[in-house]
């Protein structure tokens, strides 16, 4: 790579930079003290999110992690268990926060590409006995990050929600990338999230806002969430500066996620043709591409390092698995270039 060339960054859609329209909206945002509920731009963003999801209320939080952990805090009691999928973000990348902040333990169950079967959920619900930790909450993730951007089939979501309801268990959705599922299925986010107690979604991933996620739910739950957010130090002040970018994200960045999905499909098809790489390209449903190396004189870390040296950034997951994520700051041409780089490195490393 020539020094002046910018790398093709496929590590995550979190690397997206704010658009010019976002920067302009941030510059001109009307602000107030949001801890006093007086920031008009935050209030507008929260109302917009609540309307989109057909819910009573929403809360702006600094990160997806905080949104998930606040939801767990308000939906559980200390000593309870939380059922989730074993490769979920909450279980793997939120630093045991549920144990520390909410005093609950995780009961992870194995899914297929991140999707859990209602029967498995049923089996994981703890029997009611005074000497067993009760199940307080189920968390699902849609799309599923480590599953490969998998979209949860709606009928499975509905089956798990009715199970939760019949057992008196709460249910939260980590919908960090729910808009990717929405554009891929051509269905409203309100339809895909109906029945969850709370939904977290991120403005800062494919939607390209610089910071921020939302927690959506009933007025009562969102009031509790505001207290939990404050406990975590997440009460922000003139944060309309950031909410302004979030509004532009919701207004202008949703439909274009389709382009990311097309680029991910192009990437997956290309990977399938490269000797030394293995992928089920038909399994790529949204903007996340997960694949394995096969028959190379290198592990995934070394492979990623060599791609990096040629200006292609990605995320190694384990010794053979890598992730690439498409987003607005990479185009079709970048994808074709990325494939050339991978082909060149594979040819060098083939056994
Ligand atoms: N995911 C990030 C990393 O943390 C791995 C990424 O690059 O994909 N839920 C899901 C499904 C996520 O993928 C993430 C972030 C979060 C929650 C947390 O969001 P943030 O980073 O805003 O705390």
């Amino acid at each position: 790579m020539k020094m002046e060339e910018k790398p093709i960054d496929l590590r995550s859609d979190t690397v997206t930079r704010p658009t010019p329209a976002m920067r302009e909206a941030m510059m001109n945002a009307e602000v107030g003290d949001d801890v006093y509920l007086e920031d008009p731009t935050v209030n507008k963003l929260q109302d917009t999110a609540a309307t989109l999801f057909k819910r009573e209320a929403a809360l702006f939080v600094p990160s997806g992690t905080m949104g998930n952990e606040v939801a767990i805090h308000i939906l559980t009691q200390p000593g309870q268990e939380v059922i989730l999928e074993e490769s979920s973000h909450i279980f793997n990348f939120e630093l045991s926060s549920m144990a520390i902040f909410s005093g609950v333990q995780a009961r992870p169950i194995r899914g297929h590409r991140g999707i859990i079967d209602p029967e498995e959920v049923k089996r994981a619900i703890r029997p009611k006995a005074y000497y067993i930790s009760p199940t307080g909450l189920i968390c699902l993730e849609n799309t599923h990050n480590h599953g490969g951007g998998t979209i949860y089939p709606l009928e499975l979501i509905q089956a798990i929600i009715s199970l939760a309801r019949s057992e008196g268990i709460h249910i939260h959705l980590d919908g960090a990338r729910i808009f990717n599922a929405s554009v891929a299925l051509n269905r409203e986010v309100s339809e895909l999230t109906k029945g969850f107690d709370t939904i977290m979604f991120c403005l800062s991933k494919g939607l390209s806002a610089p910071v921020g996620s939302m927690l959506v739910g009933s007025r009562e739950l969102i009031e509790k969430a505001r207290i939990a957010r404050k406990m975590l130090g997440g009460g922000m002040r003139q944060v309309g500066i950031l909410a302004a970018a979030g509004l532009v994200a919701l207004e202008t960045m949703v439909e274009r996620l389709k382009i990311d999905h097309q680029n991910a499909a192009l990437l997956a098809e290309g990977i399938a043709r490269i000797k030394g790489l293995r992928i089920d390209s038909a399994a790529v449903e949204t903007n996340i591409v997960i694949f394995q190396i096969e028959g190379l004189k290198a592990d995934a870390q070394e492979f990623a390092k060599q791609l990096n040296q040629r200006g292609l950034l990605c995320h190694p997951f384990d010794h053979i698995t890598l992730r690439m994520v498409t987003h607005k700051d990479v185009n079709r041409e970048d994808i074709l270039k990325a494939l050339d780089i991978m082909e060149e490195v594979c040819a060098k490393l083939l056994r």
Side-chain angles (χ1 to χ4, degrees):
M1 181 182 58
K2 286 189 227 104
M3 278 326 278
E4 68 274 14
E5 261 176 54
K6 154 165 117 16
I8 302 166
D9 194 346
L10 298 177
R11 283 172 302 169
S12 182
D13 46 10
T14 58
V15 303
T16 43
R17 293 181 169 81
T19 62
M22 286 178 190
R23 288 178 186 268
E24 197 182 327
M26 292 171 82
M27 179 90 142
N28 297 320
E30 245 192 276
V31 295
D33 191 329
D34 183 50
V35 173
Y36 296 144
L37 314 177
E38 284 171 6
D39 189 302
T41 312
V42 172
N43 292 340
K44 186 172 173 203
L45 173 63
Q46 291 175 164
D47 290 346
T48 304
T51 306
L52 263 175
F53 284 76
K54 299 206 169 92
R55 296 301 177 111
E56 286 174 354
L59 186 72
F60 187 46
V61 287
S63 67
T65 301
M66 193 188 286
N68 282 334
E69 295 303 329
V70 160
I72 292 169
H73 189 75
I74 62 172
L75 294 173
T76 58
Q77 299 294 325
Q80 290 185 331
E81 283 194 358
V82 176
I83 294 176
L84 32 63
E85 202 274 332
E86 67 174 10
S87 65
S88 63
H89 191 277
I90 294 177
F91 185 53
N92 289 280
F93 304 106
E94 300 189 7
L95 301 125
S96 311
S97 301
M98 70 163 74
I100 298 161
F101 181 50
S102 303
V104 291
Q105 73 178 3
R107 180 155 294 267
I109 56 180
R110 183 157 297 176
H112 173 65
R113 302 185 58 242
I115 307 299
I116 42 184
D117 189 86
E119 279 307 310
E120 291 291 328
V121 178
K122 202 174 192 173
R123 280 194 275 277
I125 295 173
R126 306 291 274 151
K128 289 185 175 54
Y130 79 89
Y131 48 82
I132 292 176
S133 315
T135 305
L137 177 67
I138 299 166
C139 295
L140 303 184
E141 186 176 311
N142 193 17
T143 65
H144 201 287
N145 182 352
H146 274 234
T150 339
I151 302 173
Y152 240 102
L154 201 45
E155 59 286 3
L156 290 192
I157 296 181
Q158 279 155 359
I160 297 172
I161 290 176
S162 19
L163 179 63
R165 291 278 161 265
S166 67
E167 297 282 339
I169 296 169
H170 291 300
I171 182 155
H172 166 70
L173 178 69
D174 176 347
R177 297 185 178 83
I178 193 64
F179 284 95
N180 292 85
S182 164
V183 301
L185 296 173
N186 204 14
R187 296 178 101 140
E188 302 292 331
V189 284
S190 57
E191 198 187 339
L192 302 182
T193 58
K194 203 167 157 202
F196 285 96
D197 292 293
T198 48
I199 304 121
M200 185 285 289
F201 74 91
C202 293
L203 297 161
S204 61
K205 300 206 161 55
L207 300 184
S208 307
V211 179
S213 295
M214 306 297 297
L215 189 66
V216 192
S218 67
R219 193 160 291 121
E220 192 189 340
L221 283 175
I222 294 305
E223 281 322 307
K224 287 187 182 164
R226 194 186 308 284
I227 299 168
R229 182 187 68 173
K230 190 77 175 81
M231 287 167 76
L232 286 169
M236 299 173 283
R237 301 293 177 175
Q238 285 70 30
V239 71
I241 297 272
L242 297 177
L247 276 165
V248 177
L250 289 176
E251 282 155 13
T252 66
M253 302 301 283
V254 174
E255 276 308 306
R256 65 149 309 286
L257 293 174
K258 284 184 185 153
I259 303 171
D260 300 343
H261 299 176
Q262 285 159 8
N263 284 336
L266 178 71
L267 181 65
E269 284 155 23
I271 288 173
R273 285 194 292 269
I274 297 176
K275 227 168 149 197
L277 304 181
R278 179 159 48 87
I279 190 172
D280 175 7
S281 54
V284 174
E285 298 174 74
T286 55
N287 68 329
I288 298 182
V289 178
I290 293 182
F291 61 98
Q292 279 79 35
I293 53 171
E294 190 174 62
L296 296 185
K297 289 179 282 191
D299 63 6
Q301 303 284 343
E302 177 58 27
F303 181 64
K305 196 172 137 200
Q306 299 214 14
L307 298 180
N308 195 336
Q309 284 161 357
R310 288 164 178 79
L312 172 59
L313 310 186
C314 67
H315 214 322
F317 268 180
D318 58 33
H319 66 296
I320 54 164
T321 311
L322 297 107
R323 181 187 78 165
M324 292 185 172
V325 185
T326 56
H327 53 78
K328 81 138 175 59
D329 292 336
V330 287
N331 57 26
R332 196 185 150 84
E333 211 173 275
D334 294 323
I335 298 300
L336 297 174
K337 215 185 289 170
L339 288 167
D340 285 346
I341 295 172
M342 281 191 272
E343 195 161 14
E344 184 195 322
V345 172
C346 281
K348 215 183 87 186
L349 291 173
L350 270 175
R351 280 187 202 282

